[in-house]
């Protein structure tokens, strides 16, 4: 009898949490993940384009820094706007719109004839890219079963590795093939516009968002579709509109200010180190005297280490929990970054670069799992978007700082600074609440 009472009192969120992982979840994960991979491909390609333009257009380090940084200015704006819009008009609509924006702008970048126009278009690309990432992770997190939610979100983030590997392959095979190779590489960016045309109808809207807006019938239909996919009989849920009783939250209220500050600190430090390193690695290898094709080959090998990094993080995040996994991978990133700075031989460059790639991308997977879990529905998009936007400030600074640090102390100083940033992020991560196995806050 007690089981019957429990079954008849399940909320829609609880009904989603009790489900196994189904084909419906897989479709959502892949649908969001393909967009994520295309985003990664775009960010990765610019690092190879920078190396090509440095020789073809004879650009100095300062100009290359702006080409690498300006996209992150757009990403900071996009992350803030995307999070706010996701809480207002829905996750799915924002996801499709952002894909469309950055896909068109990336394709147009292939036609530019000046640095100024390339910088303008990279800014627009950044707006679309910055808005998409936190929105996608929020949508997937809100549908994932409670018991494996962290693993599913890390799985989403793993699509980033696939996109970066694709970028490395295009960079290695296409960019050096002809003087216009970098244009053909950027032209691939038009693919997201095709994908965006279908994404609006292919993905479900967030149930928690629909309930918060009083769209109860749509929320019920969405839950029932997942229950049907799992072969689970639907259970009636309370129909009181959540919007009428929804409390007002602020990410800086006493209940959330510590976790918000910690999340922002992790986002800032990991962005500083990741983008400072990986945007510049191909160019830095060329500056060390390696041929363009050889430096791209090294970068491709280093990029492949992202895949096992995500896989291990996905396994550990439900074993150790979010906080411990994030802290360990950030500490590993710190050690690997310092070692890469001292690497001089080809073998050490590849070994330490692979270690940096492994630990850093595993940390990213854990971070994206943490963000959506620590806020209630009404500010979940805003909270994750604001943290991402703050992190993008570091993304802007990082590519600009590399030439200055190189001039002051070479690779040892560059990657030493990045190592310290990773350590600071590891410390900040310990202040985040552990949400493994817990339901998302309504």
């Amino acid at each position: 009898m007690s089981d019957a009472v429990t079954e008849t009192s399940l909320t829609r969120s609880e009904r989603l949490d009790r489900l196994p992982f189904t084909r419906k979840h897989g479709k959502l994960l892949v649908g969001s993940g393909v967009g994520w991979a295309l985003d990664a491909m775009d960010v990765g390609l610019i690092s190879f384009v920078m190396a090509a333009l440095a020789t073809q257009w004879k650009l100095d380090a300062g100009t290359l820094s702006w080409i690498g940084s300006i996209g992150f200015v757009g990403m900071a704006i996009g992350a803030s706007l995307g999070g706010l819009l996701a809480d207002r008009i829905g996750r799915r609509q924002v996801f499709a719109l952002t894909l469309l924006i950055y896909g068109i702008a990336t394709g147009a970048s292939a036609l530019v004839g000046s640095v100024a126009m390339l910088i303008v278009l990279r800014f627009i690309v950044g707006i679309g890219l910055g808005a998409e990432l936190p929105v996608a992770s929020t949508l997937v997190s809100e549908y994932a079963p409670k018991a494996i939610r962290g693993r599913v979100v890390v799985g989403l983030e793993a699509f980033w590795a696939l996109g970066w590997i694709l970028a490395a392959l295009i960079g290695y095979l296409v960019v050096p093939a002809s003087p216009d190779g970098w244009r053909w590489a950027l032209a691939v960016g038009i693919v997201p516009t095709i994908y965006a045309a279908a994404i609006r109808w292919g993905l479900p809207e967030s149930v928690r968002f629909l309930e918060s807006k009083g769209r109860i019938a749509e929320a019920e239909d969405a839950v029932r579709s997942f229950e049907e996919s799992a072969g689970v009989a639907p259970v009636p849920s309370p129909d009181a509109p959540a919007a009428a009783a929804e409390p007002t939250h602020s990410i800086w209220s006493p209940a959330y200010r510590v976790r918000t500050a910690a999340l922002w600190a992790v986002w800032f430090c990991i962005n500083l180190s990741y983008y400072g390193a990986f945007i510049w690695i191909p160019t830095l290898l060329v500056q060390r005297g390696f041929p363009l094709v050889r430096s791209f080959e090294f970068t491709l090998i280093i990029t492949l280490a992202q895949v096992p990094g995500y896989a291990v993080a996905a396994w550990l995040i439900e074993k150790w929990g979010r906080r411990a996994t994030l802290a360990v991978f950030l500490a590993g990133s710190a050690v690997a970054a310092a070692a890469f700075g001292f690497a001089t031989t080809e073998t050490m460059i590849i070994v330490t670069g692979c270690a940096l790639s492994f630990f850093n991308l595993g940390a990213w997977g854990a971070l994206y799992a943490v963000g959506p879990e620590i806020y209630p529905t009404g500010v979940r998009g805003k909270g994750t978007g604001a943290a991402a936007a703050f992190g993008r400030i570091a993304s802007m600074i990082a590519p600009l700082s590399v030439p200055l640090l190189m001039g002051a102390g070479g690779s040892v100083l560059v990657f030493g600074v990045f190592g310290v940033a990773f350590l600071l992020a590891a410390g900040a991560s310990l202040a985040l609440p552990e949400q493994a196995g817990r339901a998302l806050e309504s």
Side-chain angles (χ1 to χ4, degrees), residues 256-319:
Y256 300 107
R257 63 176 56 147
V258 172
R259 65 186 64 179
T260 295
L263 186 65
W264 282 33
V266 175
W267 265 93
F268 186 91
C269 292
I270 197 172
N271 270 275
L272 181 73
S273 300
Y274 174 76
Y275 288 108
F278 285 94
I279 289 293
W280 271 98
I281 280 178
T283 303
L284 292 178
L285 291 175
V286 171
Q287 291 178 355
R288 288 191 187 187
F290 293 104
L292 188 67
V293 175
R294 188 68 169 154
S295 70
F296 286 3
E297 181 183 340
F298 287 173
T299 306
L300 174 59
I301 295 170
I302 290 170
T303 301
L304 292 174
Q306 294 183 13
V307 177
Y310 283 124
V312 174
W315 181 71
L316 290 176
I317 202 163
E318 304 294 357
K319 298 288 185 182

Side-chain angles (χ1 to χ4, degrees), residues 172-212:
Y172 178 61
L173 298 174
V174 177
V175 174
S178 70
D180 288 329
W182 65 271
R183 295 185 186 274
W184 287 110
L186 288 176
V188 177
I190 201 69
V191 172
T193 64
I194 302 171
Y195 180 66
I199 201 68
R200 170 65 172 80
W201 308 107
L203 297 182
E205 183 53 88
S206 162
V207 170
R208 290 171 174 85
F209 167 79
L210 293 171
E211 287 186 323
S212 72

Side-chain angles (χ1 to χ4, degrees), residues 24-115:
K24 193 85 172 175
H25 291 101
K27 182 179 179 181
L28 172 61
L29 180 60
V30 173
S32 301
V34 171
W36 202 286
L38 292 171
D39 290 356
M41 184 184 72
D42 177 86
V43 175
L45 280 176
I46 200 62
S47 66
F48 296 95
V49 170
M50 284 169 55
L53 291 181
T55 57
Q56 187 178 135
W57 284 6
K58 309 300 182 185
L59 301 181
D60 58 33
T63 303
L64 291 173
S65 296
W66 277 109
I67 293 174
S69 290
I70 194 63
F72 299 115
V73 178
M75 288 175 77
I77 297 171
S80 298
L81 292 177
L84 289 172
L85 287 174
D87 288 334
R88 290 179 178 271
I89 67 174
R91 289 33 166 163
R92 184 176 60 179
Q93 284 86 339
V94 174
F95 187 33
L97 179 62
T98 56
L99 282 169
L100 190 64
I101 290 172
Y102 102 82
I104 292 175
T106 300
S109 299
L111 304 175
V112 299
S114 68
V115 171

